[in-house]
Coordinates of all heavy atoms in Angstrom, one line a residue:
G51 N 0.8 -1.2 0.0 CA 0.0 0.0 0.0 C 0.9 1.2 0.0 O 2.0 1.2 0.3
G52 N 0.3 2.4 -0.3 CA 1.0 3.6 -0.4 C 0.8 4.4 1.0 O 0.1 4.0 1.8
A53 N 1.6 5.4 1.1 CA 1.6 6.2 2.3 C 0.3 7.0 2.3 O -0.2 7.5 1.3 CB 2.8 7.1 2.4
V54 N -0.2 7.2 3.5 CA -1.4 8.1 3.6 C -1.0 9.5 4.0 O -0.2 9.7 4.9 CB -2.3 7.5 4.7 CG1 -3.5 8.4 5.0 CG2 -2.8 6.1 4.4
A55 N -1.5 10.4 3.2 CA -1.1 11.8 3.5 C -1.7 12.3 4.8 O -2.9 12.0 5.1 CB -1.6 12.7 2.3
Q56 N -0.9 13.0 5.6 CA -1.4 13.6 6.8 C -2.2 14.8 6.5 O -1.8 15.7 5.7 CB -0.3 13.9 7.7 CG -0.7 14.4 9.1 CD 0.5 14.6 10.0 OE1 1.6 14.2 9.7 NE2 0.3 15.2 11.2
A57 N -3.4 15.0 7.2 CA -4.2 16.2 7.0 C -3.4 17.4 7.6 O -2.7 17.2 8.5 CB -5.5 16.0 7.8
P58 N -3.6 18.5 6.9 CA -2.9 19.7 7.4 C -3.4 20.1 8.8 O -4.6 19.9 9.1 CB -3.2 20.8 6.4 CG -4.4 20.3 5.7 CD -4.4 18.8 5.8
S59 N -2.6 20.7 9.6 CA -3.0 21.2 10.9 C -4.0 22.4 10.7 O -4.1 23.0 9.6 CB -1.8 21.7 11.7 OG -1.3 22.9 11.1
R60 N -4.6 22.8 11.7 CA -5.6 23.9 11.6 C -4.8 25.2 11.2 O -5.3 26.0 10.4 CB -6.2 24.1 13.0 CG -7.1 25.4 13.0 CD -7.8 25.5 14.3 NE -9.2 25.1 14.1 CZ -10.0 24.8 15.0 NH1 -9.7 24.9 16.3 NH2 -11.3 24.5 14.7
D61 N -3.6 25.4 11.8 CA -2.8 26.5 11.4 C -2.4 26.5 9.9 O -2.4 27.5 9.2 CB -1.5 26.7 12.3 CG -1.8 27.1 13.7 OD1 -2.9 27.6 13.9 OD2 -1.0 26.9 14.6
E62 N -2.0 25.3 9.4 CA -1.6 25.2 8.0 C -2.8 25.4 7.1 O -2.6 26.1 6.1 CB -1.0 23.8 7.8 CG -0.6 23.5 6.4 CD 0.6 24.4 5.9 OE1 1.3 25.1 6.7 OE2 0.9 24.3 4.7
H63 N -3.9 24.9 7.5 CA -5.1 25.1 6.7 C -5.4 26.6 6.6 O -5.7 27.2 5.5 CB -6.3 24.3 7.3 CG -7.4 24.1 6.3 ND1 -8.4 25.1 6.1 CD2 -7.7 23.1 5.5 CE1 -9.3 24.7 5.2 NE2 -8.9 23.5 4.8
A64 N -5.3 27.3 7.7 CA -5.6 28.8 7.8 C -4.6 29.5 6.9 O -4.9 30.5 6.3 CB -5.5 29.3 9.2
R65 N -3.3 29.1 6.9 CA -2.3 29.7 6.1 C -2.6 29.5 4.6 O -2.5 30.5 3.8 CB -0.9 29.1 6.4 CG 0.2 29.8 5.7 CD 1.6 29.1 5.9 NE 1.7 27.8 5.2 CZ 1.9 27.8 3.8 NH1 2.1 28.8 3.1 NH2 2.0 26.6 3.2
L66 N -3.1 28.4 4.2 CA -3.4 28.1 2.8 C -4.6 29.0 2.4 O -4.7 29.5 1.3 CB -3.7 26.6 2.6 CG -2.5 25.7 2.7 CD1 -2.9 24.3 2.7 CD2 -1.4 26.1 1.7
V67 N -5.6 29.1 3.3 CA -6.8 29.9 3.0 C -6.3 31.4 2.8 O -6.8 32.0 1.9 CB -7.8 29.8 4.2 CG1 -8.9 30.9 4.0 CG2 -8.5 28.5 4.2
A68 N -5.4 31.8 3.7 CA -4.9 33.2 3.5 C -4.2 33.4 2.2 O -4.3 34.4 1.5 CB -4.0 33.6 4.7
K69 N -3.4 32.3 1.8 CA -2.7 32.4 0.5 C -3.7 32.4 -0.7 O -3.4 33.1 -1.7 CB -1.8 31.1 0.3 CG -0.6 31.1 1.2 CD 0.4 32.2 0.8 CE 1.3 31.7 -0.4 NZ 2.4 32.5 -0.8
V70 N -4.8 31.7 -0.6 CA -5.8 31.8 -1.7 C -6.3 33.3 -1.8 O -6.4 33.8 -2.9 CB -7.0 30.9 -1.4 CG1 -8.2 31.2 -2.3 CG2 -6.5 29.4 -1.6
K71 N -6.6 33.9 -0.7 CA -7.1 35.2 -0.7 C -6.0 36.3 -1.1 O -6.3 37.3 -1.8 CB -7.7 35.6 0.6 CG -9.0 34.7 0.9 CD -9.7 35.1 2.1 CE -10.6 36.3 1.8 NZ -11.5 36.6 2.9
A72 N -4.8 36.1 -0.7 CA -3.7 37.0 -1.0 C -3.0 36.8 -2.3 O -2.4 37.7 -2.9 CB -2.7 37.0 0.2
G73 N -3.1 35.6 -2.8 CA -2.4 35.3 -4.1 C -0.9 35.0 -3.8 O -0.5 35.0 -2.7
G74 N -0.2 34.8 -4.9 CA 1.3 34.7 -4.8 C 1.8 33.5 -5.7 O 1.0 33.0 -6.5
T75 N 3.0 33.1 -5.4 CA 3.6 32.0 -6.2 C 4.2 31.0 -5.2 O 4.6 31.4 -4.1 CB 4.7 32.5 -7.2 OG1 5.7 33.2 -6.4 CG2 4.1 33.4 -8.2
G76 N 4.4 29.8 -5.7 CA 5.2 28.8 -5.0 C 4.3 27.8 -4.1 O 4.7 26.7 -4.0
T77 N 3.2 28.3 -3.6 CA 2.4 27.4 -2.8 C 1.7 26.3 -3.6 O 1.6 25.2 -3.3 CB 1.4 28.2 -2.0 OG1 2.1 29.2 -1.2 CG2 0.5 27.3 -1.1
W78 N 1.1 26.7 -4.8 CA 0.3 25.8 -5.6 C 1.0 25.4 -6.9 O 0.4 24.9 -7.8 CB -1.0 26.5 -6.0 CG -1.7 27.1 -4.8 CD1 -1.8 28.4 -4.5 CD2 -2.4 26.4 -3.7 NE1 -2.5 28.6 -3.3 CE2 -2.9 27.3 -2.8 CE3 -2.6 25.0 -3.5 CZ2 -3.6 27.0 -1.7 CZ3 -3.3 24.7 -2.4 CH2 -3.8 25.6 -1.5
G79 N 2.3 25.7 -7.0 CA 3.1 25.4 -8.2 C 3.7 26.6 -8.8 O 3.8 27.7 -8.1
S80 N 4.2 26.5 -10.0 CA 5.0 27.6 -10.6 C 4.1 28.7 -11.2 O 4.6 29.8 -11.5 CB 5.9 27.0 -11.6 OG 5.2 26.4 -12.7
I81 N 2.9 28.4 -11.5 CA 2.0 29.4 -12.1 C 1.5 30.4 -11.0 O 0.9 29.9 -10.0 CB 0.8 28.8 -12.8 CG1 1.3 27.9 -13.9 CG2 -0.1 29.9 -13.4 CD1 0.3 27.1 -14.6
P82 N 1.7 31.7 -11.1 CA 1.2 32.6 -10.1 C -0.3 32.5 -9.9 O -1.0 32.3 -10.9 CB 1.6 34.0 -10.7 CG 2.6 33.8 -11.7 CD 2.3 32.4 -12.3
M83 N -0.7 32.7 -8.7 CA -2.1 32.7 -8.4 C -2.5 34.1 -8.0 O -2.0 34.6 -7.0 CB -2.4 31.7 -7.2 CG -3.9 31.6 -6.9 SD -4.2 30.4 -5.6 CE -4.8 31.4 -4.4
P84 N -3.4 34.7 -8.8 CA -3.9 36.1 -8.5 C -4.6 36.1 -7.1 O -5.2 35.1 -6.8 CB -4.8 36.4 -9.6 CG -4.4 35.5 -10.7 CD -4.0 34.2 -10.1
A85 N -4.6 37.2 -6.5 CA -5.3 37.4 -5.2 C -6.8 37.2 -5.5 O -7.3 37.6 -6.5 CB -5.0 38.7 -4.6
Q86 N -7.5 36.7 -4.5 CA -8.9 36.5 -4.6 C -9.6 37.1 -3.3 O -10.3 36.4 -2.5 CB -9.3 35.0 -4.7 CG -8.7 34.3 -5.9 CD -9.2 34.8 -7.2 OE1 -10.4 35.1 -7.4 NE2 -8.3 35.0 -8.2
P87 N -9.4 38.4 -3.1 CA -9.9 39.0 -1.8 C -11.4 39.0 -1.7 O -11.9 39.1 -0.6 CB -9.3 40.4 -1.9 CG -9.1 40.7 -3.3 CD -8.7 39.4 -3.9
Q88 N -12.1 38.9 -2.8 CA -13.5 38.9 -2.8 C -14.1 37.6 -2.3 O -15.3 37.6 -1.9 CB -14.1 39.2 -4.2 CG -14.1 38.0 -5.2 CD -12.7 37.7 -5.7 OE1 -11.7 38.3 -5.5 NE2 -12.7 36.6 -6.6
L89 N -13.3 36.5 -2.2 CA -13.9 35.3 -1.7 C -14.2 35.4 -0.2 O -13.5 35.9 0.6 CB -12.8 34.2 -1.8 CG -12.7 33.5 -3.2 CD1 -11.6 32.5 -3.1 CD2 -13.9 32.9 -3.7
K90 N -15.4 34.9 0.1 CA -15.8 34.8 1.6 C -14.8 33.8 2.2 O -14.4 32.8 1.5 CB -17.2 34.4 1.7 CG -18.2 35.4 1.2 CD -19.6 34.9 1.3 CE -20.6 35.9 0.7 NZ -21.9 35.4 0.6
D91 N -14.6 33.9 3.5 CA -13.7 33.0 4.2 C -14.2 31.5 4.0 O -13.4 30.6 3.8 CB -13.5 33.3 5.6 CG -12.7 34.6 5.9 OD1 -12.0 35.0 4.9 OD2 -12.7 35.1 7.0
A92 N -15.5 31.3 4.1 CA -16.0 30.0 4.0 C -15.8 29.4 2.6 O -15.5 28.2 2.5 CB -17.5 30.0 4.3
D93 N -15.9 30.2 1.6 CA -15.6 29.7 0.2 C -14.1 29.4 0.0 O -13.8 28.4 -0.6 CB -16.1 30.8 -0.8 CG -17.6 30.9 -0.8 OD1 -18.3 30.0 -0.4 OD2 -18.0 32.0 -1.3
A94 N -13.3 30.3 0.6 CA -11.8 30.0 0.5 C -11.5 28.7 1.2 O -10.6 27.9 0.8 CB -11.0 31.2 1.0
R95 N -12.1 28.5 2.4 CA -11.8 27.2 3.1 C -12.3 26.0 2.3 O -11.6 25.0 2.3 CB -12.5 27.3 4.5 CG -11.8 28.1 5.5 CD -12.3 27.9 6.9 NE -13.8 28.2 7.1 CZ -14.2 29.4 7.3 NH1 -13.4 30.5 7.5 NH2 -15.5 29.6 7.4
A96 N -13.5 26.1 1.7 CA -14.0 25.0 0.9 C -13.1 24.8 -0.3 O -12.8 23.6 -0.6 CB -15.4 25.3 0.4
L97 N -12.5 25.8 -0.9 CA -11.6 25.7 -2.0 C -10.4 24.9 -1.6 O -9.9 24.0 -2.3 CB -11.3 27.0 -2.6 CG -10.4 27.1 -3.8 CD1 -10.9 26.2 -4.9 CD2 -10.1 28.5 -4.2
V98 N -9.8 25.4 -0.5 CA -8.6 24.7 0.0 C -8.9 23.2 0.3 O -8.1 22.3 0.0 CB -8.0 25.4 1.3 CG1 -7.0 24.6 2.0 CG2 -7.4 26.8 0.9
Q99 N -10.0 22.9 1.0 CA -10.3 21.6 1.3 C -10.5 20.7 0.0 O -10.0 19.6 -0.1 CB -11.6 21.5 2.1 CG -11.9 20.2 2.7 CD -10.8 19.8 3.7 OE1 -10.3 20.6 4.4 NE2 -10.4 18.5 3.7
W100 N -11.1 21.3 -1.0 CA -11.2 20.6 -2.3 C -9.9 20.3 -2.9 O -9.6 19.2 -3.4 CB -12.1 21.5 -3.2 CG -12.2 21.0 -4.6 CD1 -12.9 19.9 -5.0 CD2 -11.7 21.5 -5.8 NE1 -12.8 19.7 -6.4 CE2 -12.0 20.7 -6.9 CE3 -10.9 22.7 -6.0 CZ2 -11.7 21.0 -8.2 CZ3 -10.5 23.0 -7.4 CH2 -10.9 22.1 -8.4
I101 N -9.0 21.3 -2.9 CA -7.6 21.1 -3.5 C -6.9 20.0 -2.7 O -6.3 19.1 -3.3 CB -6.8 22.4 -3.5 CG1 -7.4 23.4 -4.5 CG2 -5.4 22.2 -3.8 CD1 -6.9 24.8 -4.4
L102 N -6.9 20.1 -1.4 CA -6.2 19.1 -0.5 C -6.8 17.7 -0.7 O -6.2 16.7 -0.4 CB -6.2 19.6 0.9 CG -5.4 20.8 1.2 CD1 -5.6 21.2 2.7 CD2 -3.9 20.6 0.9
G103 N -8.1 17.7 -1.0 CA -8.8 16.4 -1.2 C -8.4 15.7 -2.5 O -8.9 14.6 -2.7
G104 N -7.6 16.3 -3.3 CA -7.1 15.6 -4.5 C -7.7 16.0 -5.8 O -7.8 15.3 -6.7
A105 N -8.0 17.3 -5.9 CA -8.5 17.8 -7.2 C -7.5 17.5 -8.3 O -6.3 17.7 -8.1 CB -8.7 19.4 -7.0
S106 N -8.0 17.0 -9.4 CA -7.1 16.6 -10.5 C -6.5 17.9 -11.1 O -7.1 19.0 -11.1 CB -7.9 15.8 -11.5 OG -8.7 16.7 -12.2
R107 N -5.3 17.7 -11.8 CA -4.7 18.8 -12.5 C -5.6 19.4 -13.5 O -5.7 20.6 -13.7 CB -3.4 18.2 -13.1 CG -2.6 19.3 -13.9 CD -1.3 18.8 -14.3 NE -0.6 19.6 -15.3 CZ -0.1 20.9 -15.0 NH1 -0.3 21.4 -13.9 NH2 0.4 21.6 -16.0
E108 N -6.3 18.5 -14.2 CA -7.2 19.0 -15.3 C -8.3 19.9 -14.7 O -8.6 20.9 -15.3 CB -7.9 17.8 -16.1 CG -6.9 17.0 -16.9 CD -6.0 16.0 -16.0 OE1 -6.5 15.7 -14.9 OE2 -5.0 15.6 -16.5
I109 N -8.9 19.5 -13.6 CA -9.9 20.3 -13.0 C -9.3 21.6 -12.5 O -9.9 22.7 -12.7 CB -10.6 19.6 -11.8 CG1 -11.4 18.4 -12.4 CG2 -11.5 20.5 -11.0 CD1 -12.0 17.5 -11.4
L110 N -8.1 21.6 -11.9 CA -7.5 22.8 -11.4 C -7.2 23.8 -12.6 O -7.4 25.0 -12.4 CB -6.2 22.5 -10.7 CG -6.4 21.9 -9.3 CD1 -5.0 21.5 -8.7 CD2 -7.0 22.9 -8.3
L111 N -6.7 23.2 -13.7 CA -6.4 24.1 -14.8 C -7.7 24.7 -15.4 O -7.8 25.9 -15.8 CB -5.7 23.3 -15.9 CG -4.2 23.0 -15.6 CD1 -3.6 22.1 -16.7 CD2 -3.4 24.3 -15.5
A112 N -8.8 23.9 -15.4 CA -10.1 24.4 -15.9 C -10.6 25.5 -15.0 O -11.1 26.6 -15.4 CB -11.1 23.3 -16.0
W113 N -10.4 25.4 -13.7 CA -10.8 26.4 -12.7 C -10.0 27.6 -12.9 O -10.5 28.7 -12.9 CB -10.6 25.8 -11.3 CG -11.0 26.7 -10.2 CD1 -12.2 27.1 -9.9 CD2 -10.1 27.2 -9.2 NE1 -12.2 27.9 -8.8 CE2 -10.9 28.0 -8.3 CE3 -8.7 27.1 -9.0 CZ2 -10.3 28.6 -7.2 CZ3 -8.2 27.7 -7.9 CH2 -9.0 28.5 -7.1
R114 N -8.7 27.5 -13.1 CA -7.8 28.7 -13.4 C -8.3 29.4 -14.6 O -8.3 30.6 -14.7 CB -6.4 28.2 -13.5 CG -5.7 27.9 -12.2 CD -4.3 27.4 -12.4 NE -3.6 27.4 -11.1 CZ -2.3 27.3 -10.9 NH1 -1.6 27.2 -12.0 NH2 -1.8 27.2 -9.7
R115 N -8.6 28.6 -15.7 CA -9.0 29.3 -17.0 C -10.3 30.0 -16.7 O -10.5 31.1 -17.2 CB -9.2 28.2 -18.0 CG -7.9 27.8 -18.7 CD -8.2 27.0 -20.0 NE -8.9 25.7 -19.7 CZ -8.3 24.6 -19.3 NH1 -7.0 24.5 -19.2 NH2 -9.0 23.5 -19.1
A116 N -11.2 29.4 -16.0 CA -12.5 30.1 -15.7 C -12.3 31.4 -15.0 O -13.1 32.4 -15.2 CB -13.4 29.2 -14.9
L117 N -11.3 31.5 -14.1 CA -11.0 32.7 -13.4 C -10.1 33.7 -14.2 O -9.9 34.8 -13.7 CB -10.3 32.4 -12.0 CG -11.2 31.7 -11.0 CD1 -10.4 31.3 -9.8 CD2 -12.4 32.6 -10.6
G118 N -9.7 33.2 -15.4 CA -8.8 34.1 -16.2 C -7.4 34.3 -15.7 O -6.8 35.3 -15.9
W119 N -6.9 33.3 -15.0 CA -5.6 33.4 -14.4 C -4.5 33.3 -15.5 O -4.7 32.5 -16.4 CB -5.3 32.3 -13.4 CG -6.1 32.5 -12.1 CD1 -7.0 33.4 -11.9 CD2 -6.1 31.6 -11.0 NE1 -7.6 33.3 -10.6 CE2 -7.0 32.2 -10.1 CE3 -5.4 30.5 -10.7 CZ2 -7.2 31.6 -8.8 CZ3 -5.6 29.9 -9.4 CH2 -6.5 30.5 -8.5
P120 N -3.4 34.0 -15.4 CA -2.3 33.9 -16.4 C -1.7 32.5 -16.3 O -1.7 31.9 -15.3 CB -1.3 35.0 -15.9 CG -1.7 35.3 -14.5 CD -3.1 35.0 -14.3
G121 N -1.3 32.1 -17.5 CA -0.6 30.8 -17.6 C -1.5 29.6 -17.6 O -1.1 28.5 -17.4
S122 N -2.8 29.8 -17.7 CA -3.7 28.7 -17.6 C -4.3 28.3 -18.9 O -5.2 27.5 -18.9 CB -4.9 29.1 -16.6 OG -5.6 30.2 -17.1
R123 N -3.7 28.7 -20.0 CA -4.2 28.4 -21.3 C -3.5 27.2 -21.8 O -2.5 26.8 -21.6 CB -4.1 29.5 -22.3 CG -4.8 30.8 -21.7 CD -5.6 31.4 -22.8 NE -6.2 32.7 -22.5 CZ -7.1 32.9 -21.5 NH1 -7.4 31.9 -20.7 NH2 -7.6 34.0 -21.3

């Protein structure tokens, strides 16, 4: 069997939520993530949970394209 990924701590989850809202590079890969300050905290938390739950690369790229993020074409 494979290794089971450990769930992020509450602090780590909060840090990732803050990164979604603030934007930046390096956390989610090499493509910059624009800031999403308009997201409600609950929506940002749900987004982080979805990503950590194993969102596929294809779905993530489609989501980036829908938001008009650079490098997502």
